[in-house]
Amino acid sequence: MKTQRLWQILRYDWPLHFILWLLNGLPDNVIFLRLRGWAASPFFGRCGKNLRLGRNLDIYNSAMIELGSHVYIAFGCSLLATDSIFIDDEVIFGPYVVIASSNHTRRNDSFRFGPLDMAPIKIYRGCWIATHAVITSGSTVHPGSLVAAGAVVAGDIPASVLAGGVPARVIKPLEDDAI
């Protein structure tokens, strides 16, 4: 187990952190978002085409993260993959979104040394996770849904809905915009 984790650190985590550090000073415009995504894509468990990454990302255990095609992750997001994180095609993350696939538990009146409660996270095709939203372990966001800014998802969000609040709940169904 320890050699497998060491392999993941050397193969995925350190190269990804180095690439992101190297490219972090470049502005967030289309060219550099694509460059960051292209340079970082080999260091995820799976990555589709046209990944776009903003600056100042915090990514833990990238080998456990699967990204589809046409994914955009904005400035300041955190993806903490203690367990697996699956992000399908055409998903958009606003700035400062936090995706954490584990929660702390209490032991002897302290959260510091309690065991982690880990569960996978799944975000399906076409979702928009807005600014400062949090997706907690074991959550699923079904296709075409919008998680409102500042919402905390702790469970399932159905397909094609606007969800918001703490904890997030369905606010209304969504329909395609007429153009």
Side-chain angles (χ1 to χ4, degrees):
M1 184 68 171
K2 288 182 181 181
T3 55
Q4 180 183 5
R5 181 63 190 134
L6 179 61
W7 166 249
Q8 285 181 343
I9 289 169
L10 295 174
R11 162 63 178 90
Y12 295 97
D13 294 347
W14 285 1
L16 176 62
H17 291 301
F18 179 73
I19 292 292
L20 294 177
W21 171 78
L22 191 66
L23 300 175
N24 206 37
L26 301 172
D28 280 348
N29 62 37
V30 174
I31 293 168
F32 297 127
L33 291 168
R34 284 183 180 175
L35 175 64
R36 250 184 241 107
W38 171 80
S41 63
F43 306 110
F44 289 98
R46 185 182 71 82
C47 187
K49 62 184 178 180
N50 193 25
L51 173 63
R52 297 185 185 195
L53 298 178
R55 292 178 292 143
N56 295 336
L57 302 180
D58 184 19
I59 299 173
Y60 173 76
N61 203 7
S62 60
M64 298 286 288
I65 300 172
E66 294 184 33
L67 301 171
S69 295
H70 309 290
V71 171
Y72 171 72
I73 301 173
F75 182 94
C77 289
S78 295
L79 281 73
L80 310 172
T82 310
D83 202 319
S84 66
I85 296 175
F86 170 78
I87 299 167
D88 206 354
D89 299 339
E90 302 173 24
V91 173
I92 303 169
F93 292 99
Y96 301 106
V97 167
V98 175
I99 311 291
S101 63
S102 64
N103 289 319
H104 295 278
T105 61
R106 248 173 76 126
R107 179 179 284 163
N108 298 325
D109 293 327
S110 174
F111 287 97
R112 176 65 180 99
F113 295 108
L116 291 176
D117 178 24
M118 301 181 296
I121 293 174
K122 295 178 182 169
I123 302 171
Y124 288 102
R125 183 182 176 278
C127 290
W128 175 13
I129 313 300
T131 302
H132 288 280
V134 176
I135 312 289
T136 62
S137 69
S139 296
T140 301
V141 182
H142 291 275
S145 289
L146 165 57
V147 175
V152 177
V153 176
D156 282 5
I157 301 297
S160 299
V161 298
L162 166 62
V166 179
R169 60 179 177 75
V170 174
I171 295 172
K172 69 176 189 177
L174 296 174
E175 296 179 21
D176 285 346
D177 295 332
I179 297 178

